[in-house]
Amino acid sequence: MNNTKYDPILTPIQYEEYLADAREQYSTEEIAGLFHIHFETLYKWISKYPAMREAQERGRERRRLAFVKEAKRGLFKQLCGYDVEETRTVLVDGNIKEQHITRRHIPANVAAAIFVLCNMSPEEWTRSNTRTLDFEDNNRRAFTVKVIDNTADKVAGTTKGTRKKEDTESDGTAEITS
C-alpha cells in the first residue's frame, strides 16, 4: 500500500498501531518508511494534524502498558520460580538418534523478592539506613543509622542491610547521626 498522502482516518490508526507495537520498537524513521514517506513528513503530519498527535500519545501509552505488563509477568516468574524443559538431541549422520528431555526448576530470585517487598510494603520492609522518627514535641527528624555491632544482621540472617523492620531492633550498639 502506497501511503504517500495523509489519510485523515487511516493514517492516525496505522501510526498508533506502529507505535503501540512493543515487540518491534519502531523508530520514527522506520515508521516513516512504513508509510513510504520521509521522516520529516511524518513530523509535519504530527504537528499539523491533531489526530496524529493523539494517535502518538495513545500509541506510546499502549506500548508503555505492554512493557509494564511484561515486566510484571517476568517479575512474578522470578519471584515464585518456574520450571523449564530442556531438550538435548543427539544426531548421527544428520539423523536424530535420541532425544533427552530434562525438566528442571529455576528457583525464586531473592533480589526479586527484596524488590517486591521493599516497593510493595515499604512500611514493613526497607533497604535504607535512614529512619524518620516522631518525637514528643511533634517534630519529625530523619536519622541515618550506622550499625557498629551487627547483632541484628546475625539474628535476621542477613548481611546487606535488608531485613524486616521488627528484626532490626536488638541490643546491638548503633551510632546515630542527624
Side-chain angles (χ1 to χ4, degrees):
M1 175 161 76
N2 191 356
N3 283 338
T4 56
K5 292 188 179 179
Y6 179 79
D7 180 328
I9 295 173
L10 195 55
T11 305
I13 293 170
Q14 288 174 316
Y15 183 55
E16 179 181 341
E17 290 303 314
Y18 292 146
L19 280 174
D21 191 343
R23 301 223 185 268
E24 289 297 327
Q25 282 293 295
Y26 292 119
S27 67
T28 302
E29 290 79 9
E30 290 170 327
I31 292 174
L34 293 169
F35 281 114
H36 305 287
I37 59 172
H38 193 270
F39 71 90
E40 290 177 0
T41 303
L42 182 59
Y43 284 126
K44 288 177 187 174
W45 287 357
I46 294 167
S47 57
K48 183 176 181 180
Y49 302 111
M52 286 295 283
R53 278 191 301 280
E54 293 165 6
Q56 185 178 47
E57 291 171 11
R58 285 191 309 271
R60 286 181 176 167
E61 179 62 12
R62 286 175 53 199
R63 181 173 43 194
R64 186 190 71 76
L65 291 173
F67 284 149
V68 168
K69 182 178 180 180
E70 286 302 314
K72 285 180 180 179
R73 188 176 293 150
L75 180 61
F76 186 76
K77 280 180 69 176
Q78 290 291 312
L79 186 62
C80 298
Y82 55 97
D83 296 320
V84 294
E85 258 187 24
E86 296 173 340
T87 305
R88 188 178 67 127
T89 306
V90 177
L91 297 174
V92 175
D93 297 327
N95 297 320
I96 297 175
K97 182 178 178 185
E98 54 187 69
Q99 265 185 330
H100 299 281
I101 297 174
T102 306
R103 288 179 179 79
R104 69 182 180 112
H105 181 73
I106 306 297
N109 184 326
V110 175
I114 291 169
F115 175 82
V116 169
L117 290 170
C118 290
N119 287 288
M120 300 293 282
S121 187
E123 66 284 342
E124 198 174 344
W125 294 87
T126 184
R127 288 183 63 89
S128 173
N129 288 334
T130 302
R131 303 288 184 263
T132 303
L133 303 173
D134 289 321
F135 289 90
E136 290 179 10
D137 60 3
N138 292 328
N139 288 327
R140 296 187 76 140
R141 296 182 187 103
F143 292 93
T144 301
V145 177
K146 178 181 175 187
V147 177
I148 297 171
D149 177 347
N150 62 354
T151 305
D153 287 333
K154 291 174 189 170
V155 170
T158 62
T159 57
K160 293 207 176 195
T162 300
R163 56 194 172 268
K164 204 166 183 179
K165 284 186 180 176
E166 296 98 55
D167 294 340
T168 62
E169 297 169 13
S170 74
D171 293 336
T173 307
E175 179 181 295
I176 300 177
T177 57
S178 59

